[in-house]
Amino acid sequence: MDVKDLDIVQLKKDHLKLLANHRRQLYKHPVLKFLFLELTLRCNERCLHCGSSCGEVESNEMTLDQYKQILDDVKKDFDLKQFQLCITGGEPLLRKDFFDIMGYANELGYNWGMTSNATLIDQEKARLLKECGMKTISVSIDGLKESHDAFRRTPGGYERAMKGIEALIEEGGFKAIQVTTVLNHSNMNELDELYEIFKDMDIDSWRVIGIEPMGRALQYPELLMTAEDYRRLFDFIREKRMEDMPVTYGCSHFLGYQFEREVRDHYFICNAGIYTASILCNGDICGCLDIERRPEMIQGNILKDNLKDVWENRFEFFRKGLDEMSEECSDCSYKDFCAGGARHSFDYDNCRQRMCFKDTEVFDCSY
């Protein structure tokens, strides 16, 4: 490793130390930046990787009037300019009152975006989404046609999703249209072909992540990516970013000195409970929607509890590092930077992290 590389690694270490101190401050003084609303667990797809096991499932959903009251209360208690409202599901557009809910949010001045499979978006829906104030959208394309449809168990899903993206692009006027691709061990060889497709589309970013050991994916361990897969993915993303392609890895996991800040615009920090709160479709309040839905994760219910009070006075479980729960993590030299890793991939029954790149080829020991 040459002097320049050593200087870069030292700079990253200095930044990570500052971030570790900032994280400790956030445990004491959290800042709500992202409020997720899970409108439904119903979905017209049944993805093998779904963290919430959505699909043709029972979904205990709040009413339009209840959402209006929630939106009124949150506006009263928080500065809407300081955070983004993030709409998700299931597939949010399956709610017949979707545009009533989001139209009301727009009237109140919320800055909001959405995650969608885009299979229900046509030109009319794209127009309505713009009219009711949607600023950003992330659409899932999980491989080429055959692998996407198999992974999401939805024949024709790829073509409908791509048509949905094109409808959004044609409508225009959105702040950002993002494509998110969840790779698995079987479709790593499609990266280059996907790149050729997306670089010619008028999208604002391409977010590429790996299937995570959570939710429904735990039933399909053969799909989980290997360390070699991840090394290839990170090398790919870094190379394309150097070519100015707006491609990024997701927010999850500490990647070591070699790849931190190289494959995304920020260093790793798990946002759950310090930057992010979520309201499930039944009103339960939690940190991140991807985290296993255990009783200790639920901090209250929006139908009887005030979100500001819950945010400021509960969430104790989220305001300490997971390394305090894990013997493996407590002895790790990276624990100040990682804090036990992402909460959605943590095994809470065995108090260990399911997803850690330390001691793999992703971490270059020379760093």
Side-chain angles (χ1 to χ4, degrees):
M1 186 161 47
D2 61 27
V3 174
K4 181 180 178 182
D5 288 335
L6 286 171
D7 288 343
I8 291 173
V9 170
Q10 186 57 54
L11 180 63
K12 289 182 179 182
K13 288 181 179 179
D14 292 342
H15 288 172
L16 286 164
K17 288 176 183 177
L18 291 172
L19 181 59
N21 290 331
H22 181 60
R23 182 194 296 110
R24 286 188 280 270
Q25 289 302 310
L26 285 171
Y27 288 155
K28 299 176 183 178
H29 305 289
V31 178
L32 185 62
K33 287 189 174 182
F34 305 99
L35 176 60
F36 282 78
L37 293 187
E38 174 192 77
L39 297 189
T40 181
L41 284 175
R42 292 177 290 125
C43 190
N44 56 340
E45 298 188 324
R46 297 177 297 117
C47 306
L48 296 179
H49 67 294
C50 184
S52 304
S53 298
C54 299
E56 295 178 4
V57 297
E58 183 178 348
S59 181
N60 182 16
E61 300 169 10
M62 293 183 288
T63 66
L64 170 62
D65 287 340
Q66 287 171 327
Y67 273 112
K68 286 184 174 181
Q69 186 62 58
I70 292 166
L71 292 168
D72 285 339
D73 292 342
V74 171
K75 178 179 180 179
K76 179 180 65 177
D77 292 335
F78 293 89
D79 181 356
L80 299 189
K81 295 179 181 178
Q82 300 302 312
F83 74 90
Q84 175 161 336
L85 190 64
C86 308
I87 306 302
T88 186
E91 172 48 54
L93 288 170
L94 284 175
R95 282 197 63 131
K96 295 180 179 178
D97 56 2
F98 172 87
F99 290 104
D100 295 316
I101 296 171
M102 300 320 303
Y104 190 72
N106 186 43
E107 290 175 12
L108 293 179
Y110 281 86
N111 174 38
W112 71 274
M114 180 172 68
T115 299
S116 173
N117 60 40
T119 60
L120 302 177
I121 297 178
D122 54 17
Q123 210 59 58
E124 175 65 10
K125 289 279 197 329
R127 180 184 64 80
L128 291 172
L129 286 168
K130 185 168 72 173
E131 285 184 357
C132 68
M134 186 183 77
K135 301 294 190 298
T136 64
I137 186 168
S138 182
V139 175
S140 303
I141 299 292
D142 297 327
L144 300 174
K145 181 178 182 298
E146 183 176 343
S147 58
H148 172 97
D149 290 357
F151 191 52
R152 303 183 77 85
R153 296 192 285 187
T154 309
Y158 176 88
E159 291 184 353
R160 292 197 296 275
M162 292 295 278
K163 288 180 180 177
I165 296 170
E166 292 296 346
L168 292 164
I169 292 172
E170 185 176 340
E171 180 63 35
F174 303 104
K175 182 178 178 180
I177 298 172
Q178 179 185 76
V179 169
T180 293
T181 296
V182 179
L183 291 173
N184 64 78
H185 181 61
S186 67
N187 69 350
M188 278 294 299
N189 61 341
E190 298 179 357
L191 262 176
D192 291 315
E193 289 182 82
L194 288 168
Y195 170 75
E196 292 300 321
I197 292 171
F198 295 134
K199 76 180 181 67
D200 292 330
M201 294 179 67
D202 190 19
I203 60 173
D204 297 283
S205 64
W206 180 29
R207 178 171 170 262
V208 190
I209 57 179
I211 185 172
E212 298 275 339
M214 64 181 192
R216 197 177 280 145
L218 291 172
Q219 303 172 35
Y220 305 96
E222 71 279 5
L223 293 178
L224 296 179
M225 290 170 58
T226 65
E228 182 181 357
D229 291 334
Y230 273 106
R231 177 63 189 240
R232 181 186 170 196
L233 174 61
F234 296 150
D235 282 334
F236 172 89
I237 293 175
R238 181 165 59 182
E239 174 189 333
K240 299 308 180 187
R241 286 170 68 87
M242 291 176 69
E243 297 173 3
D244 289 332
M245 169 67 179
V247 57
T248 182
Y249 181 62
C251 61
S252 302
H253 312 302
F254 178 67
L255 308 181
Y257 304 134
Q258 184 176 15
F259 289 113
E260 278 294 330
R261 198 59 177 79
E262 304 282 338
V263 297
R264 57 191 171 203
D265 293 338
H266 55 83
Y267 292 100
F268 167 71
I269 183 171
C270 185
N271 289 334
I274 56 175
Y275 281 142
T276 296
S278 303
I279 300 174
L280 306 184
C281 61
N282 67 352
D284 283 346
I285 302 169
C286 64
C288 169
L289 292 170
D290 286 336
I291 299 174
E292 184 179 350
R293 298 180 183 190
R294 304 164 65 94
E296 63 266 35
M297 304 300 173
I298 305 303
Q299 305 302 301
N301 187 284
I302 198 68
L303 297 179
K304 59 184 179 65
D305 297 308
N306 176 268
L307 179 63
K308 183 178 176 64
D309 178 65
V310 171
W311 179 253
E312 293 179 348
N313 299 303
R314 302 189 195 179
F315 279 96
E316 295 93 344
F317 188 85
F318 295 89
R319 291 170 185 166
K320 58 184 178 180
L322 289 171
D323 57 295
E324 296 184 26
M325 297 175 56
S326 168
E327 184 176 347
E328 295 176 16
C329 295
S330 65
D331 295 329
C332 179
S333 59
Y334 297 102
K335 69 176 183 180
D336 284 345
F337 303 154
C338 179
R343 293 179 183 271
H344 69 261
S345 57
F346 198 77
D347 182 345
Y348 293 95
D349 289 324
N350 297 297
C351 292
R352 60 182 302 273
Q353 181 58 247
R354 294 190 181 108
M355 188 92 174
C356 178
F357 292 121
K358 183 192 172 190
D359 300 326
T360 74
E361 58 199 88
V362 171
F363 271 52
D364 187 330
C365 294
S366 65
Y367 284 71

